[in-house]
Amino acid sequence: MHATEKLAAYIKVRPGAIGKVVDFDIKSDRLYPLDLTAANAELTTEMVADTQAFAAWINNKLAGSNARYSIGGYMEHRTIYTRSALFDTADEPRRLHLGVDIWGDAGSPVYAPLPGTVHSFADNDNFGDYGPTLILQHQLDGLTLYSLYGHLSRESLTGLQIGQYVNINQQIAAFGNADENGHWPPHLHFQLMLDIGDARGDYPGVGQYSKKDQYLQNIPNPELILQFTGVNLL
């Protein structure tokens, strides 16, 4: 059974048990689906290497569509990771995005969609990396689930303690700006995992495409939590 199927089975018998990750009004807000693959002819190597130009392109998409957020990325084979040597592993470059990105304004609040505890946190301060990162651990009736929040503001890590309890819909963080979030346009990287081994404050959000089937066994589709399907996608 894939990781998504395991989590879906838990949610199916508990309707309404999932909270929000970001503020979103299903009746009035809209989402812009952002394609960051080679199929998007608007993306150029020069643009994605320039954080300001990349951010301006995303902001134009949001403004032009009157959307609150841009969203996408789960198991998406992306070209944009050429912007950082961080993803150029020797045997096969990492290009497969394992979570979902929610692009929006710096300072946008981030919430815990499930009750849990602070598993770990760190400031992964490298070009192209997560920047400030938080991992929560959730116990769901025998199913252990981890949720990761990357590209946060540095202030989001202030006062955190390992084991600290977090309630559903409690604000846990905010989107960071490009100076603190790994040098990306402001957004949240949201990812789910069933097992993270010895990882602390970090877990790969981009993997090798050849290992996609392995990732699917451990990394559920975040849409199960976000529940954006059927909303005002443009």
Side-chain angles (χ1 to χ4, degrees):
M1 182 182 291
H2 280 185
T4 293
E5 295 172 314
K6 292 180 180 179
L7 181 57
Y10 172 86
I11 294 173
K12 184 177 180 180
V13 296
R14 295 166 181 83
I18 307 299
K20 61 184 178 179
V21 175
V22 293
D23 286 316
F24 186 79
D25 187 336
I26 195 170
K27 296 179 180 178
S28 60
D29 289 332
R30 300 196 292 175
L31 297 171
Y32 184 88
L34 201 61
D35 178 2
L36 298 181
T37 71
N40 189 340
E42 295 183 37
L43 294 175
T44 65
T45 301
E46 293 76 20
M47 182 183 71
V48 298
D50 183 332
T51 303
Q52 287 187 333
F54 191 14
W57 179 77
I58 292 174
N59 289 337
N60 286 337
K61 295 297 183 185
L62 287 169
S65 58
N66 195 29
R68 186 164 188 173
Y69 306 105
S70 293
I71 189 167
Y74 178 62
M75 297 297 164
E76 182 176 70
H77 195 203
R78 292 178 165 179
T79 56
I80 62 172
Y81 297 117
T82 56
R83 76 191 303 263
S84 172
L86 182 72
F87 305 104
D88 290 337
T89 47
D91 52 344
E92 178 189 348
R94 294 188 295 137
R95 297 289 185 265
L96 184 69
H97 191 253
L98 305 178
V100 162
D101 285 335
I102 304 173
W103 308 81
D105 294 334
S108 296
V110 178
Y111 304 89
L114 295 161
T117 57
V118 173
H119 173 271
S120 53
F121 53 93
D123 188 352
N124 299 290
D125 188 18
N126 304 295
F127 183 82
D129 211 332
Y130 281 134
T133 311
L134 169 62
I135 299 176
L136 300 182
Q137 182 174 347
H138 314 276
Q139 297 298 334
L140 308 178
D141 194 21
L143 176 67
T144 300
L145 180 71
Y146 299 89
S147 57
L148 181 148
Y149 309 81
H151 309 297
L152 307 175
S153 67
R154 289 211 169 95
E155 186 179 359
S156 298
L157 304 186
T158 302
L160 288 180
Q161 295 183 351
I162 304 300
Q164 176 182 335
Y165 178 75
V166 174
N167 206 352
I168 186 171
N169 290 328
Q170 176 182 331
Q171 184 176 348
I172 54 172
F175 291 22
N177 61 46
D179 293 331
E180 59 188 352
N181 75 354
H183 303 279
W184 291 95
H187 73 289
L188 172 70
H189 177 97
F190 177 59
Q191 185 170 314
L192 305 172
M193 299 82 61
L194 300 184
D195 183 6
I196 60 173
D198 296 328
R200 294 291 182 274
D202 191 11
Y203 187 86
V206 182
Q208 296 170 327
Y209 188 79
S210 65
K211 297 179 180 178
K212 182 177 180 178
D213 286 343
Q214 296 177 41
Y215 299 134
L216 286 169
Q217 298 296 327
N218 188 51
I219 300 175
N221 189 339
E223 171 56 24
L224 289 170
I225 298 294
L226 294 172
Q227 300 184 8
F228 283 156
T229 299
V231 303
N232 296 317
L233 286 170
L234 300 172

